[in-house]
């Protein structure tokens, strides 16, 4: 089981760093992002996992913190880190009009966005299962039965978390569709946000609780995303701060109220508390997420290695490596235009 957890935690390190990448694409220098990936994936994420994702972590023992499937431990910390870099990077060229109105820069290939999000749903279920100790014998008087336990060693069942996972996905999809008025990107992103919003307590929620919390968390992240965009001119390219950061923060806080009094750890008498969850959300998003990334970003900016030059941003980051490909595309486009004109189109 230690080998499984080692591989899972390595994957989580990659995940924490990769979440940040989507928010800052099209304008961040690769070297600066690599430094941030090391900070998030190998330093701050490891600290918050030790503090809040282990039965002996001080946040569990002292605060009653509970975050079974990492609404805060992975998602909020990544969202906070991405927000810090976005504040320093500034928006992409053309994102905001002269009067400050935000333009909707649509994805180049919405079909791949859809497929990618469905891959994430599938992978997230594997992530859920990997966050449990598969089999442990539970003693209840003279009876002994086998069950799964969460990462804190307290009982749950794989069937319960499967149902809660599906219903939180459904709740997020429904809320994303409604709040965005049918926008495809936010509908599918809402599914992911719903899973993340319910992840802190999906080992213990009733399925209807998982559905409703996912829907509420999706609504919350959508509203906050556009408020932050308008107010602070933050250009979050793929909504990563919203889907992971805001929904993750919401999920940690709401679990404190819904699960108040449930056991936080099998090794201690700690119980889940609303104040512990709120303090934990602050620690995850701001203390270990936003502020360390802000310090690193300020250093990179002072050294002139944070943002790519304007000319390269306009040309495209990959054009230097794929110049032949683009030349061929230009030739094909010119041929198409010539044939269209010849046909009177």
């Amino acid at each position: 089981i230690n080998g499984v957890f080692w591989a899972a935690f390595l994957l989580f390190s990659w995940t924490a760093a990769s979440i940040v990448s989507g928010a800052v694409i099209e304008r961040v220098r690769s070297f600066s992002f690599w430094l941030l990936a090391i900070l998030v994936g190998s330093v701050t994420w490891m600290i918050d996992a030790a503090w809040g994702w282990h039965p002996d972590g001080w946040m569990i023992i002292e605060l009653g913190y509970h975050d079974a499937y990492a609404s805060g431990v992975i998602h909020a910390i990544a969202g906070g880190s991405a927000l810090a870099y976005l504040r320093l990077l500034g928006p992409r060229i053309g994102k905001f009009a002269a009067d400050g109105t935000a333009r909707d820069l649509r994805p180049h290939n919405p079909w791949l966005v859809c497929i990618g999000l469905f891959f994430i749903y599938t992978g997230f279920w594997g992530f859920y299962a990997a966050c449990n100790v598969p089999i442990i014998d539970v003693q209840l008087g003279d009876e002994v039965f086998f069950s799964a336990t969460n990462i804190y060693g307290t009982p749950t069942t794989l069937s319960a978390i499967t149902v809660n996972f599906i219903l939180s996905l459904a709740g997020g999809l429904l809320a994303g569709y409604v709040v965005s008025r049918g926008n495809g990107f936010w509908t599918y992103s809402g599914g992911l946000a719903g899973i993340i919003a319910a992840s802190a307590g999906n080992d213990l929620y009733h399925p209807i609780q998982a559905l409703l919390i996912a829907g509420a968390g999706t609504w919350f992240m959508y509203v906050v995303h556009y408020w932050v965009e308008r107010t602070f001119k933050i250009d979050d390219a793929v909504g990563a701060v919203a889907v992971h950061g805001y929904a993750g923060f919401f999920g940690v806080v709401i679990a404190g109220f819904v699960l108040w009094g449930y056991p936080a750890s099998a090794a201690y008498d700690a119980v889940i508390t609303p104040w512990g969850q709120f303090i934990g959300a602050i620690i995850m998003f701001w203390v270990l997420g936003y502020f360390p990334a802000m310090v690193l970003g300020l250093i990179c900016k002072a050294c002139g290695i944070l943002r790519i030059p304007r000319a390269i941003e306009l040309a495209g980051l990959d054009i230097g490596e794929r110049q032949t490909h683009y030349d061929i595309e230009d030739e094909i486009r010119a041929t198409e235009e010539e044939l269209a004109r010849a046909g009177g189109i």
Side-chain angles (χ1 to χ4, degrees):
I1 194 66
N2 284 336
V4 173
F5 274 118
W6 179 86
F9 272 65
L10 177 62
L11 173 63
F12 302 157
S13 292
W14 297 343
T15 301
S18 69
I19 289 168
V20 182
S21 66
V24 299
I25 55 173
E26 299 184 28
R27 74 213 104 140
V28 70
R29 282 183 182 265
S30 297
F31 183 71
S32 177
F33 171 71
W34 296 337
L35 292 177
L36 182 61
I38 293 169
L39 174 68
V40 175
S42 298
V43 182
T44 53
W45 133 255
M46 300 306 295
I47 294 171
D48 78 45
W51 287 2
W53 220 28
H54 190 282
D56 296 330
W58 74 267
M59 290 177 61
I60 290 84
I61 299 169
E62 301 296 333
L63 300 177
Y65 182 76
H66 184 83
D67 193 9
Y69 306 111
S71 292
V73 172
I74 289 177
H75 299 284
I77 189 174
S81 301
L83 180 61
Y85 250 47
L86 290 175
R87 286 290 304 273
L88 297 171
L89 277 168
R92 290 167 291 174
I93 296 171
K95 173 63 179 178
F96 293 96
D99 63 356
T101 304
R103 297 187 176 100
D104 184 13
L105 304 182
R106 298 186 181 277
H108 290 281
N109 193 324
W111 305 109
L112 284 181
V113 172
C114 173
I115 292 169
L117 282 163
F118 272 77
F119 277 142
I120 294 174
Y121 303 158
T122 306
F124 219 128
W125 159 236
F127 166 80
Y128 260 53
C131 293
N132 292 277
V133 180
I135 297 177
I136 189 170
D137 58 333
V138 180
Q139 310 277 339
L140 287 179
D142 296 332
E143 297 182 15
V144 177
F145 67 94
F146 293 95
S147 175
T149 67
N150 62 26
I151 206 160
Y152 304 110
T154 54
T156 185
T157 67
L158 294 178
S159 57
I161 68 170
T162 300
V163 172
N164 285 353
F165 174 87
I166 293 170
L167 285 181
S168 60
L169 169 61
L173 286 166
L174 287 167
Y177 180 83
V178 172
V179 74
S180 71
R181 300 179 182 178
N183 180 284
F185 173 80
W186 284 110
T187 297
Y188 294 126
S189 294
L192 181 56
I195 297 170
I196 292 168
S199 284
N202 252 354
D203 59 321
L204 296 172
Y205 287 151
H206 185 281
I208 300 302
Q209 289 176 327
L211 178 75
L212 296 176
I213 289 169
T218 300
W219 173 86
F220 174 82
M221 72 87 189
Y222 183 87
V223 171
V224 173
H225 168 77
Y226 280 106
W227 177 79
V228 170
E229 182 180 83
R230 290 192 306 269
T231 305
F232 300 102
K233 300 297 182 285
I234 297 295
D235 179 13
D236 181 3
V238 300
V241 177
V243 171
H244 298 272
Y246 305 149
F249 188 97
F250 175 92
V252 171
V253 173
I254 200 70
F257 293 94
V258 179
L259 302 178
W260 194 350
Y262 277 78
S265 173
Y268 300 90
D269 293 330
V271 296
I272 302 167
T273 64
W275 54 88
Q277 292 298 104
F278 181 75
I279 295 171
I282 296 294
I283 290 172
M284 296 300 169
F285 189 92
W286 294 105
V287 177
L288 290 175
Y290 184 88
F291 290 112
M294 176 60 74
V295 171
L296 176 62
L298 286 170
I299 294 171
C300 290
K301 190 171 184 178
C303 296
I305 59 170
L306 181 63
R307 181 161 178 156
I308 60 174
R310 180 179 176 86
I312 294 178
E313 184 176 350
L314 290 170
L317 278 165
D318 55 350
I319 196 166
E321 298 178 1
R322 302 178 61 204
Q323 185 62 52
T324 303
H325 170 76
Y326 282 99
D327 286 345
I328 293 172
E329 280 189 347
D330 290 340
E331 291 176 13
I332 293 172
R333 189 176 297 110
T335 303
E336 289 176 342
E337 291 176 0
E338 183 180 345
L339 290 172
R341 290 194 189 93
I345 301 173

